[in-house]
Amino acid sequence: MSTGTDPLASLAELPGVPEAVAEVRKAVDRLYGHRVMRRRAGEVTSEAALRGARASAALDGADWPLEEIRRRSDFSGDEQARAVGGALRISAEAGQLLGVWRHSPLQVLARLHLLATGDADATTGRPRRGDETAAPLFPLVIAAAEGFDRSAKGLELPAAPGADEAAARLDQLARLLAGRAEGAASGTPALVVAAVVHGELLALRPFASHNGVIARAAQRIVLIAEGLDPKAICPAEVGLAELGTAAYRDALAGYLGGTGEGMARWIAHCAEALRLGVRESTAVCEAMQRGMV
């Protein structure tokens, strides 16, 4: 099938997107060409996973120092600790799910939900059903800010679609991804595909909880599967955290709006986050080269 029949192809041509794709590609290539990657790539991958997990938890309101996370072995305490633990479990296993992702993305998403929750109840590991609703995307952030600043309400987004609509759109997304894995659609840059998967999962909020960390992990898996970041050394979550929750929410609102301008804004935000993730891992490589790590 030609690239013209790829349903995502038109997004790659939106104003500013080709430039963002090219800039990210150059940044990633420079990182992969770093001399440290020739002999310590595994260490860079491990560090990127840790930093990405810390940042993903921070976006959900559990903003812990990196050294505190390194020191801890028990993440079963309060809600923040559990959020960090879930992000760590997901980050540790995401790369191992690539083979399953290629033919069954829904199975991987279910596994990510189980990892995020850390336990099992009636809703764990499956999309919402019937009249089940999704938790807000930024519950800890909103709860922390509401005590002193009502502007936290600005972080809230429109309600997720009902379970039936979410399931139908999730199935459509899974079919699109499976088609790409089989070579039925190609040509759309990895960055654009990852941004769409990320945005669609945030829009659908298919699970009762933990949809944010799952969406960010799915973006990471797509970047690996599509070949932009095969060694998982570019933690886009770090960039998202650096850009801030408010900017994340505003860019997502563009995606939810569905206009070309809004979609381009969302893709550009994901691109900038990935570029900042590359910068983070480049700094790690430099520290390794100087013998500081």
Side-chain angles (χ1 to χ4, degrees), residues 13-24:
E13 302 303 321
L14 290 171
V17 172
E19 293 81 2
V21 167
E23 183 179 356
V24 164

Side-chain angles (χ1 to χ4, degrees), residues 166-190:
R169 286 173 59 181
L170 189 63
D171 185 63
Q172 183 179 27
L173 179 65
R175 289 200 305 271
L176 183 149
L177 291 169
R180 293 184 64 81
E182 294 169 1
S186 60
T188 302

Side-chain angles (χ1 to χ4, degrees), residues 152-164:
K153 286 291 185 183
L155 291 172
E156 295 178 351
L157 291 159
D164 290 344

Side-chain angles (χ1 to χ4, degrees), residues 7-172:
L8 302 183
S10 61
L11 299 180
E13 302 303 321
L14 290 171
V17 172
E19 293 81 2
V21 167
E23 183 179 356
V24 164
R25 177 81 261 181
K26 287 198 299 185
V28 171
D29 286 346
R30 282 196 298 269
L31 174 58
Y32 271 80
H34 197 288
R35 65 177 62 186
V36 165
M37 287 296 296
R38 295 184 216 137
R39 48 195 172 82
R40 300 182 69 179
E43 294 175 66
V44 179
T45 296
S46 295
E47 189 66 20
L50 179 65
R51 292 173 184 238
R54 189 215 75 80
S56 195
L59 287 162
D60 281 344
D63 192 359
W64 287 18
L66 191 60
E67 291 311 312
E68 172 67 10
I69 296 174
R70 291 189 201 278
R71 183 187 67 79
R72 283 271 192 127
S73 58
D74 182 6
F75 296 92
S76 62
D78 61 15
E79 194 171 1
Q80 285 205 8
R82 291 193 295 275
V84 174
L88 288 169
R89 287 189 296 272
I90 282 179
S91 192
E93 192 167 319
Q96 303 169 34
L97 299 172
L98 184 60
V100 181
W101 177 267
R102 293 186 190 281
H103 63 81
S104 184
L106 297 183
Q107 185 177 339
V108 171
L109 293 174
R111 175 62 181 169
L112 293 176
H113 189 245
L114 179 61
L115 292 168
T117 59
D119 54 23
D121 61 28
T123 66
T124 302
R126 65 160 178 79
R128 293 182 284 122
R129 299 173 185 165
D131 59 358
E132 292 173 348
T133 58
L137 283 175
F138 310 110
L140 296 180
V141 178
I142 293 170
E146 278 186 334
F148 60 88
D149 183 2
R150 299 304 296 179
S151 68
K153 286 291 185 183
L155 291 172
E156 295 178 351
L157 291 159
D164 290 344
E165 180 184 344
R169 286 173 59 181
L170 189 63
D171 185 63
Q172 183 179 27

